[in-house]
Amino acid sequence: DHQIVSMPMPSSGGTLLAQMLKMVSYEDLSKYQMNSEEAVQIMVEAERRAYADRAEYMGDPDFIEDKTQMLISNDYLKSRWKSFDKNTATPSKDVGKIINPNQKESTETTHISILDKFGNAVSVTTTLNGLYGSKTVVSGAGFFLNNEMDDFSVKPGVPNMFGAVGGEANKIEPNKRMLSSMTPTIVLKNGKPYIVVGTPGGTTIPTSVYQSIVNVIDFKMTPSSAVNSAKFHHQWLPEVVFVEKNFPENTLKILEQKNYKFEKRGGIGRTEMIVIDENGNATAVADSRGDDSVAVE
Ligand code: DON
């Protein structure tokens, strides 16, 4: 028998308040004491459902469809309340879509290896450097500016975001280009493209390309194993060899006795490789470390 007057979008406040008050009205709260287990459970479950809606539906109505009327309707809220179970907390994942907070935007380098039907090969790596580059979009053009200044040595001995150090050779100077690690590569055999390869990965790029080539040529591995098998990376400083988590433990143990230090880390590179045999047949591999793919026309 009360009317609630409160704040509309773009505050979620009024809508959440209406949702929560309506949902608890489906139980007889007045039977319980304030802060009793029953009252707290009912009120928490109303909060859970309302705040899940906040995450999914609410925002500035100048930009998104204003769903307030639907969200505060009894039809909607009663169906939302059906999953209330006084015996157990409702898992939050059951009342709203949880976006994985650990999902990280990758650092911004991309590689593509291409072979056309005439046997022409192209290997291209392009980079914004860090996450969203400098986080500045060029108005009207639709692309980000990079933060490539980090590829310079900003101060002797100070590591950049990939832990690379440098001195005079790569210091910042007018009109100078920063030192990249990009390694778009074509291996020729008898003058013809044999391996087209490259990867993102900052300072791990050269090591990934090098190991992938060695895996094919020296270890006679299939292109797929050459790309996807565990990789390792060392870059002088830090004085540590980084290895992927699935690296053979036995090798690590033996080398540790010879004073090597290892550190496990996430995927090294996302190598895109095409290997072309003597008959011109190509095998293309997209690294399974990423969401990369192979396309054949
Ligand atoms: O040119 C370079 O070496 C760096 N800008 C590459 C950065 C990179 O690969 C980040 N992505 N994974």
Side-chain angles (χ1 to χ4, degrees):
D1 300 328
H2 301 83
Q3 278 188 311
I4 309 282
V5 180
S6 188
M7 176 116 180
M9 298 293 165
S11 174
S12 59
T15 304
L16 290 177
L17 181 64
Q19 288 192 296
M20 295 187 293
L21 290 172
K22 280 186 164 174
M23 280 190 271
V24 296
S25 78
Y26 307 144
E27 306 293 322
D28 187 2
L29 261 194
S30 58
K31 283 199 304 213
Y32 309 111
Q33 296 279 308
M34 179 217 178
N35 283 355
S36 62
E37 62 175 78
E38 295 91 345
V40 170
Q41 190 192 2
I42 292 166
M43 294 176 77
V44 163
E45 291 300 334
E47 290 169 5
R48 188 194 308 279
R49 287 158 179 76
Y51 277 79
D53 285 352
R54 181 185 197 277
E56 170 110 30
Y57 300 113
M58 300 183 205
D60 181 353
D62 284 352
F63 289 79
I64 60 159
E65 190 188 342
D66 186 350
K67 294 218 160 91
T68 304
Q69 290 313 313
M70 183 277 280
L71 292 171
I72 64 173
S73 70
N74 278 311
D75 277 357
Y76 174 73
L77 292 170
K78 279 186 176 152
S79 75
R80 207 87 174 96
W81 195 245
K82 268 193 198 134
S83 56
F84 171 69
D85 177 354
K86 67 178 174 17
N87 297 314
T88 180
T90 310
S92 285
K93 69 173 173 32
D94 292 357
V95 300
K97 198 169 79 200
I98 299 178
I99 299 166
N100 178 4
N102 298 321
Q103 194 166 322
K104 295 208 173 78
E105 175 70 17
S106 62
T107 39
E108 298 307 326
T109 303
T110 298
H111 178 84
I112 183 165
S113 297
I114 306 172
L115 181 75
D116 76 6
K117 62 181 174 187
F118 306 108
N120 299 302
V122 181
S123 184
V124 182
T125 313
T126 178
T127 186
L128 282 178
N129 204 37
L131 177 76
Y132 293 110
S134 63
K135 301 173 175 65
T136 306
V137 174
V138 178
S139 314
F143 58 84
F144 281 94
L145 295 179
N146 64 50
N147 64 339
E148 272 296 323
M149 289 301 283
D150 181 71
D151 272 341
F152 277 117
S153 166
V154 291
K155 203 171 151 185
V158 172
N160 74 356
M161 73 163 88
F162 300 101
V165 289
E168 287 288 310
N170 187 34
K171 73 175 183 190
I172 299 173
E173 292 181 83
N175 299 318
K176 192 175 182 185
R177 286 165 300 168
M178 57 290 290
L179 181 68
S180 174
S181 300
M182 292 186 287
T183 317
T185 300
I186 300 173
V187 180
L188 302 176
K189 195 171 174 180
N190 304 323
K192 285 194 173 157
Y194 170 41
I195 301 174
V196 190
V197 61
T199 179
T203 47
T204 69
I205 295 175
T207 15
S208 296
V209 168
Y210 147 76
Q211 287 172 34
S212 298
I213 292 173
V214 166
N215 286 349
V216 170
I217 295 180
D218 298 273
F219 301 136
K220 316 258 180 289
M221 289 163 73
T222 63
S224 170
S225 317
V227 165
N228 291 310
S229 298
K231 291 208 161 67
F232 53 94
H233 171 71
H234 180 60
Q235 59 179 42
W236 176 53
L237 293 176
E239 217 165 334
V240 163
V241 182
F242 296 96
V243 293
E244 290 187 306
K245 295 197 174 88
N246 54 343
F247 202 82
E249 292 292 337
N250 203 33
T251 308
L252 301 183
K253 268 198 206 116
I254 294 167
L255 288 175
E256 268 163 359
Q257 287 162 9
K258 298 185 176 182
N259 293 328
Y260 288 92
K261 285 199 184 69
F262 292 98
E263 208 173 293
K264 297 210 168 147
R265 54 158 279 173
I268 297 180
R270 293 197 317 273
T271 303
E272 322 299 356
M273 179 189 253
I274 305 175
V275 179
I276 306 124
D277 70 16
E278 303 85 55
N279 306 318
N281 298 316
T283 307
V285 182
D287 198 319
S288 59
R289 294 169 180 84
D291 57 359
D292 319 28
S293 59
V294 169
V296 181
E297 296 249 317

